C-alpha cells in the first residue's frame, strides 16, 4: 500500500491516522503490510513512524520525479491512500485508491475510509465533518478484504470512474459545455458608469 502526495498541514493528520489504523489492523490480523510513503514536506518530521511492528513496515521514499511515479506505482503498489490530484495519479493507471479527507487537527477514531469511486460530486478530499465519522465502523477492514477478494473488479471500477469523471477529455468537454451554456457580456455592452472607480477604490 502507499501514500502519494505532499506531507502538508492539512494532510499530515489523516496520513498519521491511516498509519495508526493500518498498524493496528496488521498486528491484529497478522497481515504483513508494507506502507510506502511517496512525497515530502515540512510536516514529515511528525510522521507516526513508531507505529511500525513485525507485520507493518513503513518505507519512506521522499519525493519522486513526476515521470518516475507511474513506474514505481505499477511495479510496487497494489492500492493507494491519497487525496487531490495525487489520488488521480493512481486511478489513471487503474490502482484502487482509498480517498482520504483533509484535517488540520488530529483525526479522531471512527473515520470512515472509502474508495475514490464511492465519492460524490467529483470530490477529491474535503474538510472532515461529523458525517465522515461512525464510531466502531470497520471500513478499513472491509476495504482490505475487498482488495484481497475483488482486486480486478476494484481496479476496473477505479479506472472507469477516472475516465468518466476526471480524464482530460471529459473535463475539456464539460468546460466547453459550461462556456457555451452561459451568457456573457462584451466589454462595450457594459454601462460605463459601472466601470468608473469610486473615490474609495481610487484610494
Amino acid at each position: 500500500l502507499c501514500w502519494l502526495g505532499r506531507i502538508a498541514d492539512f494532510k499530515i493528520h489523516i496520513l498519521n491516522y491511516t498509519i495508526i489504523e493500518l498498524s493496528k489492523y496488521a498486528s491484529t490480523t497478522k497481515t504483513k503490510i508494507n506502507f510506502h510513503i511517496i512525497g515530502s514536506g515540512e510536516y514529515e518530521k511528525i510522521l507516526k513512524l513508531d507505529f511500525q511492528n513485525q507485520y507493518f513496515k513503513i518505507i519512506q521514499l521522499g519525493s519522486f520525479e513526476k515521470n518516475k511515479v507511474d513506474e514505481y506505482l505499477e511495479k510496487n503498489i497494489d492500492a493507494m491512500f491519497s487525496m487531490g490530484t495525487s489520488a488521480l495519479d493512481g486511478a489513471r493507471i487503474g490502482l484502487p485508491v482509498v480517498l482520504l479527507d483533509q484535517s488540520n487537527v488530529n483525526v479522531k477514531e471512527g473515520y470512515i475510509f472509502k474508495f475514490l469511486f464511492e465519492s460524490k460530486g467529483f470530490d477529491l478530499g474535503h474538510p472532515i465533518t461529523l458525517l465522515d465519522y461512525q464510531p466502531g465502523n470497520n471500513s478499513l477492514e472491509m476495504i482490505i478484504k475487498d482488495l484481497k477478494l475483488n482486486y480486478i473488479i476494484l481496479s476496473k471500477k477505479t479506472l472507469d470512474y477516472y475516465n468518466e469523471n476526471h480524464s482530460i477529455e471529459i473535463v475539456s468537454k464539460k468546460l466547453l459545455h459550461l462556456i457555451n451554456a452561459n451568457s456573457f457580456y462584451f466589454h462595450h455592452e457594459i454601462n460605463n458608469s459601472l466601470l468608473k472607480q469610486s473615490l474609495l477604490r481610487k484610494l
Side-chain angles (χ1 to χ4, degrees):
L1 305 176
C2 87
W3 158 271
L4 174 65
R6 286 185 306 116
I7 304 177
D9 51 354
F10 62 96
K11 298 182 178 185
I12 183 63
H13 298 294
I14 190 61
L15 173 53
N16 275 339
Y17 181 81
T18 301
I19 287 171
I20 293 167
E21 293 302 304
L22 284 172
S23 173
K24 287 195 293 190
Y25 173 86
S27 181
T28 302
T29 62
K30 296 181 171 50
T31 301
K32 288 195 174 182
I33 295 174
N34 289 332
F35 190 65
H36 304 235
I37 298 179
I38 305 170
S40 59
E42 57 184 309
Y43 285 82
E44 61 187 293
K45 58 185 178 289
I46 59 171
L47 278 169
K48 300 281 190 183
L49 301 177
D50 52 337
F51 276 82
Q52 296 184 86
N53 56 54
Q54 67 181 106
Y55 299 103
F56 182 67
K57 181 181 178 185
I58 296 173
I59 302 165
Q60 243 186 307
L61 296 158
S63 296
F64 277 14
E65 292 292 328
K66 187 71 174 172
N67 60 346
K68 300 285 186 186
V69 172
D70 285 5
E71 181 184 352
Y72 190 86
L73 293 176
E74 288 172 340
K75 285 184 177 178
N76 301 284
I77 304 302
D78 295 312
M80 282 176 48
F81 289 73
S82 198
M83 66 173 72
T85 53
S86 296
L88 298 182
D89 285 336
R92 178 171 44 80
I93 59 175
L95 278 182
V97 176
V98 178
L99 182 65
L100 301 177
D101 297 308
Q102 308 163 22
S103 178
N104 286 305
V105 296
N106 288 333
V107 178
K108 62 185 181 182
E109 199 153 345
Y111 173 78
I112 302 167
F113 290 95
K114 61 189 175 300
F115 284 112
L116 172 64
F117 57 74
E118 296 174 312
S119 64
K120 309 293 183 202
F122 311 106
D123 184 19
L124 291 176
H126 57 265
I128 294 175
T129 71
L130 290 176
L131 297 176
D132 296 301
Y133 289 101
Q134 183 184 328
N137 79 79
N138 64 344
S139 56
L140 183 61
E141 182 183 336
M142 295 307 295
I143 279 172
I144 294 175
K145 183 178 179 182
D146 219 6
L147 286 169
K148 289 178 177 178
L149 298 177
N150 303 304
Y151 188 85
I152 293 173
I153 293 170
L154 295 176
S155 177
K156 184 176 185 310
K157 275 188 176 182
T158 304
L159 188 57
D160 288 348
Y161 176 84
Y162 172 82
N163 288 331
E164 291 165 13
N165 295 281
H166 294 285
S167 67
I168 190 67
E169 295 82 9
I170 288 294
V171 172
S172 300
K173 283 179 185 176
K174 287 179 179 177
L175 178 59
L176 288 171
H177 173 74
L178 287 171
I179 291 171
N180 292 327
N182 281 281
S183 60
F184 55 89
Y185 292 97
F186 289 104
H187 189 271
H188 70 270
E189 295 178 302
I190 300 173
N191 187 325
N192 282 333
S193 65
L194 297 176
L195 302 177
K196 288 181 181 176
Q197 284 188 325
S198 66
L199 177 62
L200 181 61
R201 285 176 63 197
K202 285 178 181 176
L203 288 172

